Amino acid sequence: MIYKLLALNIDGTLLQDNGRINKVTKDAIDFAKDKDVKIILTTSRNFLAAKRVAKSLKIEEHIIAHQGAFIGKEIDKPVLVRRISENITEEMLGLLEAFSCQIKVIHEKFMLGNKMTLPNQLMGRVVFQKSNRMAYSEQYVDDLRESFQENPMSPTMMEILFEHKHDRDDAIKIIEEMYDEVECIKSNPQRLIVVPKLVSKLAGVQFLCEHHGIKREEVVAIGSDLDDLSLIQWAGLGVAMGNAPLEVRNAANWITRSYEDNGVAYMVKEHFRKQYRLTFLRNILK
């Protein structure tokens, strides 16, 4: 099979614990690009944070950010944007006030969140995306709902980190019963992402495949979290990182090494080394 598109998650896949990308991973991405393979980043990070990762890898393709709610190459020229309405966002903020949780209301240009101190052991397991404050504004307030009412917006997504796992499960049940306009996406046991209906990393990749005329079987997807599961199951070659949860690894066609052991680089070299450049193949098939 000739693969034409490689979809890559960022956290737990490309990045090391220090937030950097190993040189061997960068070399592997260059290796795939030299084969004329399109490299697509798929992430729950905001667009500007994902754009910095793309720049470090010299990737110029569209970025699937905000869990698939924002797709584009430049922040002011998206090819697709989906939003949660102001009214539903405000209602959900009122609902979530009943739980012990940190809430982030996320727009492509800024984020509004509540001030909350969570246990150190929880924050050690879950790291929210880091942003350059000069490029992406992050504001934390004492009363999130009140601040939202004063400055309403239609976010691309909401990200909630619960102190207790059972609270997350209860919140999902309530949101799914009350709102048909949004989707709840589970990440780790205490993290919840809420996006507009029909938004996901998978939907974003399918959108770009249709845009580029790429078939499902020509797609390789590498991921490491539960929100990568549907994409890994759908792709022609679904790859799970060695550090991925068991459910994700069981669904994959292939399991590579962990991010600490440069699993992306290992997979790319194994599966793309025998593939000719697509331009070469097109020429010999003429």
Side-chain angles (χ1 to χ4, degrees):
M1 175 53 64
I2 303 300
Y3 297 113
K4 296 181 179 180
L5 187 146
L6 173 60
L8 292 169
N9 180 40
I10 293 179
D11 296 283
T13 302
L14 282 172
L15 298 186
Q16 299 175 295
D17 286 334
N18 61 7
R20 297 182 179 180
I21 301 174
N22 193 294
K23 184 179 183 301
V24 298
T25 301
K26 291 183 177 181
D27 291 343
I29 298 302
D30 287 339
F31 180 79
K33 286 192 293 184
D34 285 342
K35 304 275 187 177
D36 299 324
V37 175
K38 292 184 181 299
I39 312 294
I40 303 293
L41 298 183
T42 64
T43 181
S44 62
R45 287 182 171 227
N46 67 72
F47 177 80
L48 291 172
K51 181 71 172 179
R52 288 194 291 277
V53 176
K55 282 187 175 181
S56 71
L57 292 170
K58 299 178 182 178
I59 295 173
E60 298 180 354
E61 300 293 339
H62 291 93
I63 295 169
I64 299 171
H66 300 254
Q67 201 68 39
F70 189 97
I71 302 176
K73 294 183 179 181
E74 301 296 336
I75 194 164
D76 294 320
K77 296 179 180 179
V79 294
L80 183 145
V81 183
R82 297 283 186 265
R83 301 189 185 279
I84 305 171
S85 72
E86 293 178 9
N87 290 340
I88 290 178
T89 302
E90 184 182 344
E91 288 180 12
M92 284 196 292
L93 289 176
L95 182 157
L96 290 166
E97 286 177 343
F99 300 98
S100 177
C101 61
Q102 184 175 61
I103 309 165
K104 291 188 174 187
V105 182
I106 299 172
H107 185 276
E108 65 268 22
K109 293 185 178 179
F110 60 91
M111 182 281 298
L112 186 65
N114 62 323
K115 293 179 180 177
M116 181 178 178
T117 302
L118 292 166
N120 289 333
Q121 68 271 21
L122 178 58
M123 293 306 292
R125 291 197 303 272
V126 181
V127 180
F128 277 116
Q129 58 200 24
K130 298 178 181 179
S131 297
N132 180 345
R133 295 182 181 275
M134 296 299 290
Y136 187 78
S137 172
E138 294 185 347
Q139 183 181 4
Y140 294 90
V141 296
D142 293 316
D143 192 322
L144 180 55
R145 192 179 185 192
E146 180 180 317
S147 296
F148 183 85
Q149 289 170 339
E150 293 173 356
N151 298 284
M153 62 162 157
S154 296
T156 55
M157 60 181 279
M158 296 172 67
E159 186 175 13
I160 307 101
L161 182 61
F162 293 88
E163 186 172 358
H164 307 291
K165 179 183 182 297
H166 62 83
D167 282 347
R168 188 201 68 169
D169 296 338
D170 290 343
I172 290 173
K173 184 177 180 181
I174 295 169
I175 291 170
E176 288 181 339
E177 288 178 352
M178 292 183 64
Y179 303 105
D180 294 329
E181 300 90 345
V182 299
E183 304 266 6
C184 291
I185 299 175
K186 297 178 182 178
S187 183
N188 63 60
Q190 281 149 286
R191 183 173 178 242
L192 173 64
I193 297 171
V194 180
V195 295
K197 193 71 174 178
L198 302 179
V199 162
S200 66
K201 293 180 179 180
L202 170 58
V205 171
Q206 290 173 328
F207 175 85
L208 291 181
C209 283
E210 184 176 350
H211 177 76
H212 292 296
I214 294 174
K215 300 175 183 177
R216 171 181 180 175
E217 57 267 22
E218 297 171 331
V219 176
V220 179
I222 309 179
S224 60
D225 208 341
L226 290 174
D227 59 356
D228 298 308
L229 181 58
S230 61
L231 176 56
I232 287 173
Q233 291 172 323
W234 175 86
L237 180 62
V239 180
M241 298 294 291
N243 50 282
L246 180 61
E247 184 178 354
V248 177
R249 285 181 277 134
N250 285 342
N253 303 115
W254 205 75
I255 301 172
T256 188
R257 298 170 180 171
S258 72
Y259 69 96
E260 295 174 332
D261 293 323
N262 305 308
V264 171
Y266 177 72
M267 182 275 157
V268 169
K269 291 295 179 68
E270 283 292 307
H271 281 270
F272 287 94
R273 59 190 173 89
K274 294 182 181 180
Q275 179 168 308
Y276 290 104
R277 293 185 66 181
L278 294 177
T279 49
F280 171 77
L281 292 174
R282 292 189 191 103
N283 288 334
I284 64 173
L285 291 173
K286 285 182 179 178

